[in-house]
Amino acid sequence: MAHNSIDPSLFPKQASQIWEMLDDMAAQDPEGYAKFVQQNVEKGTELFAKPKSEVCIRTEFHTPPNKSVSKYLYVNVFTWKKISEPKTSQSPIPMTSSQLKILSTGGADVFVIAVAINPRVYEECCKDKTDL
């Protein structure tokens, strides 16, 4: 077995050891146990929270050879605490996105993508709402 591999056959034993440690903690330090559980419930709630829809941006563009046919790109911007903040004000902005979807409607193609950024990045970018 490779050094960094995980052996699934060990999961039941490891889970049992974790439960035993938690049982010991609950018996020996009930307040510490309650605090530990509360902190992990809060982290779990945040970790599994869904992205929050903030704004949808639409832009129009034309591509050769038929420059008279409009195409639209919709960018749905979400905030999500799972996305980290930039390390510094000069660092690239971490984000994640969906795959680009192309929808054909009557005459124009419509392109749709969802992008998620950290909530603080969105707040900082949108301090002056006149730019939106």
Side-chain angles (χ1 to χ4, degrees):
M1 182 183 309
H3 176 59
N4 289 332
S5 5
I6 297 173
D7 182 357
S9 69
L10 298 177
F11 290 168
K13 182 179 179 182
Q14 291 171 339
S16 178
Q17 290 171 338
I18 291 170
W19 280 115
E20 189 176 316
M21 287 179 0
L22 291 172
D23 288 343
D24 289 347
M25 182 184 208
Q28 294 173 13
D29 183 7
E31 287 181 22
Y33 176 77
K35 184 178 178 182
F36 172 81
V37 169
Q38 182 61 36
Q39 286 173 338
N40 282 282
V41 166
E42 289 170 6
K43 286 180 186 175
T45 300
E46 186 174 303
L47 181 66
F48 292 105
K50 294 180 180 180
K52 179 183 174 199
S53 178
E54 297 290 353
V55 66
C56 181
I57 303 164
R58 182 187 94 159
T59 187
E60 180 179 6
F61 64 98
H62 306 276
T63 57
N66 190 354
K67 290 187 177 186
S68 64
V69 176
S70 293
K71 296 183 184 208
Y72 297 97
L73 171 65
Y74 289 87
V75 180
N76 294 311
V77 179
F78 292 82
T79 54
W80 201 10
K81 290 183 179 179
K82 276 187 176 182
I83 308 299
S84 60
E85 294 180 43
K87 293 185 185 352
T88 70
S89 62
Q90 301 301 313
S91 297
I93 297 173
M95 63 179 66
T96 189
S97 70
S98 66
Q99 290 193 353
L100 183 66
K101 294 180 183 175
I102 304 170
L103 310 170
S104 294
T105 62
D109 287 336
V110 176
F111 299 81
V112 179
I113 193 163
V115 176
I117 59 176
N118 182 277
R120 289 190 189 192
V121 171
Y122 181 78
E123 290 168 14
E124 186 67 27
C125 291
C126 297
K127 279 183 181 176
D128 181 4
K129 301 268 185 204
T130 60
D131 290 342
L132 292 178

